Amino acid sequence: MQTPTLKQEALESIDRLPDNVDIDEIMYQLYVVDKLRKSREAIAEGQFIHHEELKREIEQW
């Protein structure tokens, strides 16, 4: 299975929005697509912490 391109993800995301959507909602949707894509890339590169480690960090606050 080929990973969709950013353009494909953006177009699919916009296509799911209602026809009467305003530009702010479209821009927000594109922002979300970008953040999710970057998050998936970071996870694939091992740039994350496990929730147990996060809990320990929060307890130190």
Side-chain angles (χ1 to χ4, degrees):
M1 183 171 111
Q2 185 179 7
T3 304
T5 65
L6 177 57
K7 180 179 176 180
Q8 288 169 327
E9 284 187 50
L11 290 173
E12 289 170 6
S13 182
I14 291 170
D15 196 41
R16 288 191 295 269
L17 294 172
D19 288 338
N20 63 343
V21 67
D22 64 25
I23 190 70
D24 289 330
E25 291 178 67
I26 293 171
M27 290 173 60
Y28 178 73
Q29 190 66 32
L30 293 175
Y31 169 81
V32 170
V33 167
D34 179 58
K35 291 299 180 184
L36 289 172
R37 187 174 186 88
K38 287 178 180 175
S39 296
R40 287 191 302 260
E41 290 172 358
I43 290 168
E45 295 171 2
Q47 299 174 359
F48 63 93
I49 62 172
H50 293 280
H51 71 276
E52 291 299 326
E53 185 178 343
L54 180 59
K55 284 181 185 178
R56 285 191 295 273
E57 285 185 23
I58 291 172
E59 288 172 358
Q60 293 176 4
W61 293 355

